[in-house]
Each structure stands twice: as structure tokens, then as C-alpha cells.
């Protein structure tokens, strides 16, 4: 029996069939499994402008394999366009809107299977959350990464653009040079070309087993991407016939694989928000303490932008995610028996996948570092953890002590940075930007890029209860939990307090006595919410802290 029989079979479904007739659906189509294709297409996100072509290819693949494809939409925000203003409050929060609306559409219309077509930062995790929730056979196919731009004879990307703004503010490049960056760093459609959040999550979709080979790396403008989409449409019908569902694939072992690949690739710190949230929907508790355990035994094999000068298109040429996974398997670092949407196990998928560029994907015997790309920190400044992309930190900043320069919002910090008021050795603190305090946990690409662009990337740290773009680099420590809005210790830091950072030893502390912190806490008062109406107010009332993946829960009802 098909799930869609509820709306297409028997006398009681006659009213439903009459409405399907209004769509032009034939009796032959009504007899086939109904496959929902979730399209994130729109005309404002560069990573999504080509998704109409991907969706058409998926439809063809579904139809060729005996299904009836039906398209419905999902929203998307462009983090780059939303960056640095109130719009960034509306980025992370869309993850839950995407998951909720997809759940509503899928269950209201009783689809038998789904193909998810996302590309950018919140669509991939939002749709993975929905896939776990709805739990019908599902395959992912993204829109693919952007090709790198070229400026001054070097490959460039969006992070180069934001850093160029900092360089212009510092007077080290001219307005004409800034315009050249503007016109050349984003040359094609696709998700921005480095190992930023969108590409991190698309690559991790392969590692989780929810996307076909190449899903994370085949460039958006390559015809191979259209072929991949057709195969995704065909493959979902195989998943339907075999009744292989997302929760059969997204098991605890699969999430451990994803964390391991994350460490090897050097993914965005945002993955530390999204993987726990997806796992939560799949009924898996992904404890943040696992991150350092996995990092300790997983070598970092890739230094893709912003950590290095190479891009996703080159990772694709080197063999892609499967080649990285094959390297990891040489030291038994992966669970090879996990099922995937290929209908085969991880071990079967990666067998014989050759690393074609040992300079880009370091062999397991010669990694960039013996430990993974992300580290979780704890201390009296972050009792419930903070997160840093260790692979993008200059060696001299892995251990640092400096005076706190305290700001209660991103905008004030940017004014100080661009005004030359931040100097070598400083530790910039940006607080009240967490999930509740923001609300929405804004990304801090503008201040990190300004710091880098002004030549301070190897001498200034930035700590926030907000988060960072995957394009951020340097000693950028985010997701500080508990956040300032709920009285976390970051709210108690004062200008000039000495901050101690030791990334390799996973510690983050303010060098103030327990007695002094207790005295400050006694005086601390919660702030009035920044937003009191609309979706952001509802979000702030329900959202948990960054260390729990900023998942939503009913107020007063703990899900621990």
C-alpha cells in the first residue's frame, strides 16, 4: 500500500482525485508512487538560481523510474546578502521554517517519497531535519558550488571580497581594486566556492549517506550536475522499492562518520550547530563532547578556502568527498557498514575511490595536522562549550592571552575595528548576539573579515555567543554557551579583563577570580528583548543554546 493511497484510492478519495484532476494529473500518474520534489529555487540567492534546471532533471529521473513527480517550494536566505545588517537575524531561523513547512507539505499531501533540492546554508540542514522527521524514502541533490573567481592572477571567493573591504578601510587597496574584486569574485551561480557552510553541509550530506557521490563537489555549472539530478530522481524510486528511509541511514554511526569527515575536510563551525539539530530530529543524541574525541584521532587532510588557497572545484577534481573518506578508511576511522541512498554501504561506495591530488587531499600518512579541523573549548567563559575552526587559525594564535575589548552588538565592534581602535593582541568580545539574544545568532563575517583585511588576522582573536560564516578565518571562537542573554559568563566580562585562549588544550577562560565573577553575577540584570513581535520573538522564546544546536523546544518543556 502506498502512503499516497490516502488521497488517491477508493470512493472516499474521490474528492481528492477531483482536485488532482484539476492539476491535469492523469489516471496513469495517479497509480504511481507520488514523489515530492522540494525546490529551494528563487531569484535572490545565487546558489539557487539554477535549481529550476536541477528540479526538471530530478522530475525526469523520477518519471523514468516509474514515479509521479510533484514539485513544491522551500524558502532560502542568501547569507552573503543578509550579512552585516538586520537581515542576518533572519538566516539561522529559516532552518526551522524550512523543516516545518516541508513537514507540513509532505504530510498534508501524503507523498510516498521525497527528493530534496537545496544548496545554501540553512536549506541543507533544514531539509535534512525535515527528512528525518517525515521519514519517507528521500534523496538529496544540491545545486552545486560556484566556480572560484580570479583577481590578480589568483583564485578568489566571497571571503576575499569581505576581506577586501577591510583592506580598503585600512588604505591598503584602492577603490578601483575593490571594484575589481566586486566584479570578479563570484563569477557563476552556485554556493560560494570555498569550504563555507553551504558546501560543508552538502559534502556532509554525502558523508551521512543522504546524497549521491559528487553531491557536495560537482560545480553548479557543470553538465555532470544535471546528470546527478537525474540519477537522484531514479535513485529515490529504488529507495522507495526497498523501503530504505532517512532514519535507516541517519543512524548514530552515520553521524559519527559525518563528524569524522567534517574534521578531515575542515568544515564550517556552523556544522556544529546543524549536525546536532539534524541528529535531534533523527532521535540521535549528538553530544558535543564527542567532537574533541573524534578530532583527537582524525587528521585534517584538506585546507580549502578560507583555510587555504584551494576551492571546492579542485576538491571535485581530486576525487571529492569519497576520496577523502577512502583516505580515512585506511586507519579504520569510519563505520563502513552504514547504509546510504546509493543502496550500498559506505564501504562499498568508497572502495577504489582514488585520491588524484595528494597536495589537495593529503594522504592519511601526511596530514596538515594530526587532529581535526574543529575544536570545542570549555572554561569559565564557556562552561557549556564554544567552537573554533582550528584549521583556519594561524599557529601563533592557537594559544593567546590578551585584553578583552567588549561590545554588546556586532555593529559597535565593526565601528571600532574599522576606526583603528583594535590593536594587535586584543581579544574582541561580541555578546548578546546568541540564539535568544540576537535573536537569531548572527554570523560575524564582517568583523572577522575587517580584522583580516586590516592585517590583524594573526594577532587579534574574536569571541562571540553568535556564530561565524564558514568564510571566516583566524582565531574566531563562536557559539559561546550559555549565551549572554541568559546570564552566561560572557555577559560578565568587562573591558580590559585578560582572556586566555588555548585551542589545542580546549580551554577558554577569563582571568578573573570566582569571587569577582560571583559579585558581577549578583549585579547582572537580564536585558529587555530586542524584538517583541513577529517570528523572531516566537523563535527567541523557543530556541535553545548553541551547544544544543539551537533547536526549538516548547517553553517550559525540557527535551534533555
Amino acid at each position: 500500500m502506498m502512503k499516497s493511497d490516502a488521497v488517491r484510492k477508493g470512493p472516499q478519495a474521490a474528492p481528492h482525485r477531483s482536485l488532482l484532476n484539476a492539476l491535469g494529473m492523469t489516471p496513469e500518474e495517479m497509480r504511481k508512487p507520488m514523489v515530492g520534489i522540494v525546490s529551494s529555487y528563487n531569484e535572490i540567492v545565487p546558489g539557487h538560481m539554477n535549481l529550476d534546471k536541477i528540479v526538471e532533471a530530478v522530475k525526469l529521473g523520477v518519471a523514468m523510474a516509474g514515479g509521479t513527480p510533484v514539485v513544491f517550494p522551500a524558502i532560502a536566505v542568501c547569507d552573503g546578502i543578509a550579512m552585516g545588517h538586520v537581515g542576518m537575524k533572519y538566516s539561522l531561523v529559516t532552518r526551522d521554517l524550512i523543516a516545518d513547512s516541508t513537514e507540513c507539505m509532505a504530510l498534508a499531501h501524503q507523498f510516498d517519497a521525497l527528493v530534496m533540492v537545496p544548496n545554501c546554508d540553512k536549506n541543507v540542514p533544514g531539509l535534512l531535519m525535515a527528512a528525518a522527521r517525515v521519514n519517507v524514502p528521500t534523496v538529496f541533490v544540491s545545486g552545486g558550488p560556484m566556480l572560484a573567481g580570479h583577481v590578480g592572477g589568483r583564485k578568489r571567493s566571497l571571503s576575499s571580497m569581505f576581506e577586501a573591504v577591510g583592506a580598503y578601510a585600512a588604505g591598503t587597496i584602492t577603490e578601483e581594486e575593490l571594484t575589481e574584486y566586486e566584479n570578479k569574485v563570484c563569477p557563476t551561480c552556485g554556493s560560494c566556492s570555498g569550504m563555507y557552510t553551504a558546501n560543508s553541509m552538502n559534502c556532509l550530506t554525502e558523508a551521512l549517506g543522504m546524497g549521491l557521490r559528487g553531491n557536495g563537489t560537482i560545480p553548479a555549472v557543470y553538465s555532470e550536475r544535471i546528470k546527478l539530478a537525474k540519477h537522484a530522481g531514479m535513485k529515490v524510486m529504488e529507495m522507495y522499492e526497498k523501503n530504505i528511509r532517512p532514519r535507516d541511514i541517519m543512524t548514530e554511526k552515520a553521524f559519527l562518520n559525518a563528524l569524522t569527515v567534517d574534521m578531515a575536510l575542515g568544515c564550517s563551525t556552523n556544522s556544529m550547530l546543524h549536525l546536532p539539530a539534524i541528529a535531534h530530529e533523527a532521535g540521535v543524541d549528538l553530544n558535543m563532547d564527542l567532537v574533541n574525541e573524534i578530532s583527537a584521532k582524525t587528521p585534517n587532510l584538506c585546507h580549502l578556502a578560507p583555510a587555504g588557497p584551494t576551492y571546492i572545484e579542485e576538491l571535485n577534481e581530486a576525487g571529492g568527498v569519497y576520496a577523502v573518506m577512502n583516505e580515512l578508511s585506511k586507519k579504520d576511522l569510519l563505520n563502513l557498514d552504514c547504509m546510504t541512498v546509493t543502496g550500498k554501504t559506505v564501504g562499498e561506495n568508497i572502495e577504489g575511490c582514488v585520491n588524484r591530488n595528494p597536495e589537495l587531499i593529503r594522504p592519511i600518512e601526511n596530514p596538515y595536522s594530526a587532529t581535526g579541523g574543529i575544536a570545542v573549548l570549555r572554561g569559565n567563559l564557556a562552561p557549556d562549550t564554544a567552537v573554533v575552526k582550528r584549521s583556519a587559525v594561524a599557529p601563533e594564535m592557537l594559544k593567546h592571552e590578551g585584553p578583552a575589548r567588549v561590545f554588546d552588538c556586532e555593529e559597535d565592534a565593526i565601528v571600532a575595528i574599522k576606526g583603528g581602535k583594535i590593536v594587535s593582541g586584543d581579544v574582541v568580545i561580541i555578546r548578546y548576539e546568541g540564539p535568544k539574544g540576537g535573536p537569531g545568532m548572527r554570523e560575524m563575517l564582517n568583523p572577522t573579515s575587517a580584522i583580516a583585511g586590516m592585517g590583524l588576522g594573526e594577532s587579534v582573536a574574536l569571541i562571540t555567543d553568535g556564530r561565524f560564516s564558514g568564510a571566516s578565518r583566524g582565531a574566531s571562537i563562536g557559539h559561546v554557551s550559555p549565551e549572554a542573554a541568559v546570564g552566561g559568563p560572557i555577559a560578565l566580562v568587562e573591558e580590559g579583563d585578560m582572556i586566555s585562549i588555548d585551542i589545542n588544550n580546549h580551554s577558554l577562560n577569563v582571568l578573573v577570580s570566582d569571587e569577582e565573577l560571583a559579585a558581577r553575577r549578583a549585579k547582572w540584570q537580564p536585558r529587555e528583548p530586542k524584538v517583541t513581535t513577529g517570528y523572531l520573538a516566537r523563535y527567541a522564546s523557543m530556541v535553545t543554546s548553541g551547544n544544543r544546536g539551537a533547536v526549538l523546544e516548547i517553553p517550559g518543556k525540557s527535551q534533555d
Side-chain angles (χ1 to χ4, degrees), residues 63-91:
M64 284 193 293
T68 297
V70 181
V71 179
F72 64 89
I75 63 167
V77 163
C78 177
D79 277 29
I81 295 173
M83 194 71 66
H85 54 88
V86 69
M88 183 44 69
K89 294 179 185 288
Y90 287 91
S91 170

Side-chain angles (χ1 to χ4, degrees), residues 33 35-37 54-69 113-117 137-141 210-212 223-244 340-343:
V35 179
I37 301 172
I54 301 296
V55 167
E56 287 303 313
V58 171
K59 286 174 68 177
L60 187 57
V62 168
M64 284 193 293
T68 297
L114 296 167
V115 179
M116 307 294 198
V117 187
T138 303
V139 175
F140 275 68
V141 56
M210 291 297 294
L212 301 179
S223 298
E224 192 66 28
R225 176 67 53 179
I226 300 298
K227 296 178 185 178
L228 182 74
K230 291 175 183 175
H231 283 130
M234 291 184 250
K235 191 58 69 173
V236 80
M237 296 308 299
E238 182 182 326
M239 295 295 97
Y240 172 76
E241 293 297 332
K242 293 179 177 179
N243 196 28
I244 298 174
T340 73
V341 294
T342 65

Side-chain angles (χ1 to χ4, degrees), residues 44 57 97 108 153 155 300 380 430 506:
I44 188 62
L97 284 174
K155 287 188 174 181
N300 178 228
N380 69 355
I430 305 178
H506 309 120

Side-chain angles (χ1 to χ4, degrees), residues 27-47:
E28 292 82 1
E29 288 174 297
M30 290 191 207
R31 288 194 287 268
K32 297 175 181 178
M34 191 157 68
V35 179
I37 301 172
V38 189
S39 171
S40 302
Y41 169 78
N42 64 42
E43 295 183 340
I44 188 62
V45 184

Side-chain angles (χ1 to χ4, degrees), residues 505-526:
N505 286 312
H506 309 120
S507 71
L508 179 64
N509 292 284
V510 53
L511 301 183
V512 172
S513 70
D514 292 344
E515 292 77 13
E516 173 63 19
L517 284 177
R520 292 181 188 179
R521 180 174 299 285
K523 297 177 184 178
W524 179 81
Q525 293 292 324

